Amino acid sequence: MTHEDAVVVDARGKRCPVPVIDLARACRGLPGGGLVTVLCTDPAAEHDVPAWARMRGHTLVGSSRIAGSEAHIALTVRLGPDA
Amino acid sequence: MNPPGAGLVEALSSDERRATSGARRPRPRESEHRVPRRYRGAVITPDPADAPGQDAATQAPHRPRRAHLDAGGSARLLPAARQAFLEALEDGWADPARLHSESRRARSFLDAARETFAARLGARTEEVHLAPSHVLATHSAVRAVVSGRRRTGRAVVASAVERAAVLDAASYAADARTTGAPSPAVVPVDRLGRVDVDAFAAAVRQPGVALAALQHANGEVGTVQPVDAMHEAARAARVPLLVDAGASVGHVAPPRSWDLVTADAADWGGPQGIAVLAVRAGVRWRAEWPEAPDPWFPGGVSVPAALAAAVALESALSDQAAQDARRRELVAEIREVVARTVPDVEVVGDPVDRLPHVVTFSCLYADGEALLTELDREGFAVGSGSACTSATLRPSHVLAAMGVLTHGNVRIALDRTTTRDDVAAFLAALPPAVARVRGSLGAGAL
């Protein structure tokens, strides 16, 4: 499964902890091994998405900054087996 | 060594008030904030006048007494210190720099304070400088050493979890004349917040390092740093080490190895407005401010506050071991109970090699500001490293450097007035408070 197949959660413009809450909600019901990408503008997200992944048994597999007028960060997680 | 001034500080901090020859000691004025003349015992029963007059709407009716659990840099003023402050206002009101008797008396209070700090930090009196704030003491120390050692370079090596004042001053000092080297060279820490010793040692060996900075212990998470070993590495590289002891002095034995050390009176129960900077003779420094009789902090500091800070330190040291044991156990209980009773929580920092009185934890799916407000409503004053609770809307760089959760963060620092009952009440109130905050974000079922 490539990152292009990931479920995308657009949390741009949302303040912590909402990006992580939106991400967690989107992950409910998805199978283990599935990919989810969350787009965030909140400065805490680049720390909290990886921390959430670690606490919930998932793995951060991608992190990239998108520059421009709507600069944001895209974080991709692979869901753990017990998702 | 028992210099004459130390006797004054000792007299003011002890249970028995010993008459000092010559000085007339007037009675404190009658006031609604009259405190016991003698400081008794290790656990202070707060003066009922301390319970702040809250407006009824915000005060929970079943808990009239608030618990102050955010004592980092903001501990309740110790009774002996308050008493010393009031008495120094009577006798030490003059400008300490002039030549007449009133001035010399004020000067003697200042010298007594400096002698106390010197003795307790393992410095010579002439190496001790009093600053009006810990932030200024830190900024000045960094700027002056970088300037003094500019022929070597302007780079500063600092752990990633140094307090913001250290990192800000290092960035500022580097910008003053761009050399191309990024400053500060931030050395990573592990998940517990402890600096990578190999990386720190390698960093100080790089060319162009003016200063290294490593805190004694972290005030947000409590983790103790390997200062002795890193001082040795810095010494071998001929780089002075600034040790920020602003979170540790008065709680644990002070650091032994340093070239510059800072401490913060309000952290150990002294008044706001006094910090200590000690600089070993031989450290090359240059002021980036005008020359003045007080070379490090022109204009000096409040004499009553300085004396009160010294008396507070003596008072804190007199029960340091007992307060270490007592608070260490309370924090161990907080760590264990929070991890057990709050779902999806991360309790961070070294559980053992830590300050006795500090603990911080982060709650998934909770808004830090909302949690603080909820706990405040219940009568608990706590701190937070979450982005939403900071003036800059950025998360704590300490938590970020450790790779731990930053949102929903609650930071606890216990001072000497915090009781076992306070902690029990807090632990009982916390899980429902977290649940309410999560519920209001629609995150209850996650």
Side-chain angles (χ1 to χ4, degrees):
Chain A
M1 204 185 191
T2 66
H3 291 200
E4 282 79 52
D5 301 322
V7 171
V8 176
V9 176
D10 187 352
R12 289 176 295 181
K14 298 196 181 172
R15 244 183 39 159
C16 81
V18 178
V20 171
I21 292 175
D22 286 354
L23 174 59
R25 261 203 211 102
C27 291
R28 277 190 305 189
L30 291 182
L35 290 174
V36 184
T37 296
V38 62
L39 310 178
C40 310
T41 49
D42 183 76
E46 74 174 291
H47 309 290
D48 290 349
V49 169
W52 166 85
R54 180 171 46 77
M55 289 169 75
R56 301 301 286 161
H58 311 306
T59 315
L60 185 77
V61 295
S63 166
S64 48
R65 284 187 192 285
I66 289 82
S69 57
E70 288 179 34
H72 60 278
I73 186 170
L75 298 151
T76 302
V77 295
R78 181 181 303 283
L79 299 183
D82 302 318
Chain B
M1 173 180 87
N2 199 25
L8 172 63
V9 172
E10 199 194 320
L12 289 169
S13 56
S14 70
D15 260 2
E16 295 302 317
R17 304 303 310 279
R18 295 175 215 128
T20 52
S21 59
R24 185 174 60 82
R25 202 148 298 282
R27 292 180 184 284
R29 292 204 177 82
E30 293 280 51
S31 108
E32 61 194 357
H33 296 294
R34 180 173 18 176
V35 295
R37 286 184 70 90
R38 289 140 195 234
Y39 161 49
R40 296 186 186 284
V43 177
I44 302 163
T45 305
D47 189 330
D50 276 358
Q54 302 279 100
D55 54 319
T58 58
Q59 203 171 357
H62 61 290
R63 248 196 87 76
R65 174 193 144 91
R66 286 180 61 82
H68 181 58
L69 307 176
D70 189 23
S74 185
R76 273 208 170 94
L77 186 62
L78 294 172
R82 183 193 277 131
Q83 186 71 357
F85 202 132
L86 292 171
E87 300 212 355
L89 281 174
E90 292 291 329
D91 294 337
W93 47 265
D95 173 357
R98 304 184 195 185
L99 297 178
H100 41 61
S101 302
E102 287 78 9
S103 224
R104 290 205 310 274
R105 189 165 61 236
R107 178 99 234 152
S108 74
F109 286 0
L110 216 49
D111 290 342
R114 287 176 64 227
E115 281 160 9
T116 299
F117 298 131
R120 295 307 187 175
L121 291 174
R124 304 212 296 269
T125 304
E126 56 268 27
E127 294 175 327
V128 171
H129 314 284
L130 301 182
S133 77
H134 191 254
V135 170
L136 187 64
T138 302
H139 285 180
S140 303
V142 172
R143 293 178 66 190
V145 173
V146 171
S147 186
R149 284 173 49 79
R150 62 199 176 281
R151 283 183 221 95
T152 300
R154 297 192 80 95
V156 175
V157 170
S159 86
V161 296
E162 294 309 301
R163 69 176 67 218
V166 172
L167 301 176
D168 293 343
S171 294
Y172 181 92
D175 282 349
R177 198 174 306 175
T178 314
T179 57
S183 186
V186 167
V187 181
V189 298
D190 62 18
R191 180 63 46 74
L192 298 180
R194 186 160 292 113
V195 76
D196 179 330
V197 295
D198 295 332
F200 196 94
V204 297
R205 284 196 295 267
Q206 296 307 303
V209 177
L211 175 71
L214 181 62
Q215 67 203 189
H216 185 205
N218 187 276
E220 288 193 43
V221 306
T223 301
V224 172
Q225 301 292 347
V227 170
D228 289 349
M230 293 303 90
H231 181 258
E232 185 50 42
R235 197 198 56 77
R238 302 168 71 88
V239 172
L241 181 70
L242 164 64
V243 176
D244 171 3
S248 62
V249 171
H251 306 290
V252 293
R256 284 170 306 213
S257 318
W258 48 268
D259 298 294
L260 303 98
V261 67
T262 61
D264 182 5
D267 192 70
W268 67 67
Q272 294 284 342
I274 293 287
V276 181
L277 167 67
V279 182
R280 291 271 188 232
V283 171
R284 195 181 294 268
W285 66 279
R286 183 176 74 158
E288 296 202 323
W289 50 84
E291 250 188 71
D294 292 308
W296 272 93
F297 304 104
V301 295
S302 157
V303 168
L307 188 68
V311 168
L313 182 57
E314 288 296 312
S315 179
L317 293 175
S318 72
D319 71 351
Q320 181 176 270
Q323 286 293 335
D324 181 324
R326 186 185 76 88
R327 293 184 296 173
R328 191 169 292 276
E329 197 203 318
L330 288 176
V331 164
E333 188 182 347
I334 293 171
R335 294 185 67 102
E336 191 269 323
V337 173
V338 168
R340 185 165 39 83
T341 62
V342 179
D344 292 316
V345 73
E346 182 161 46
V347 182
V348 307
D350 196 312
V352 176
D353 197 3
R354 59 167 172 84
L355 293 171
H357 63 302
V358 172
V359 55
T360 195
F361 54 88
S362 299
C363 308
L364 210 43
Y365 315 132
D367 171 341
E369 187 182 7
L371 196 43
L372 243 67
T373 304
E374 193 65 27
L375 291 167
D376 183 57
R377 234 202 302 276
E378 300 269 306
F380 305 101
V382 301
S384 175
S386 294
C388 47
T389 65
S390 113
T392 57
L393 292 181
R394 302 205 74 86
S396 154
H397 65 282
V398 172
L399 300 176
M402 293 165 64
V404 301
L405 186 67
T406 72
H407 74 232
N409 181 260
V410 173
R411 184 173 62 231
I412 303 286
L414 311 179
D415 69 8
R416 283 160 166 78
T417 69
T418 319
T419 65
R420 174 162 283 285
D421 283 349
D422 290 332
V423 170
F426 171 74
L427 291 173
L430 180 69
V434 175
R436 283 193 297 277
V437 167
R438 283 172 169 163
S440 72
L441 286 165
L446 281 173

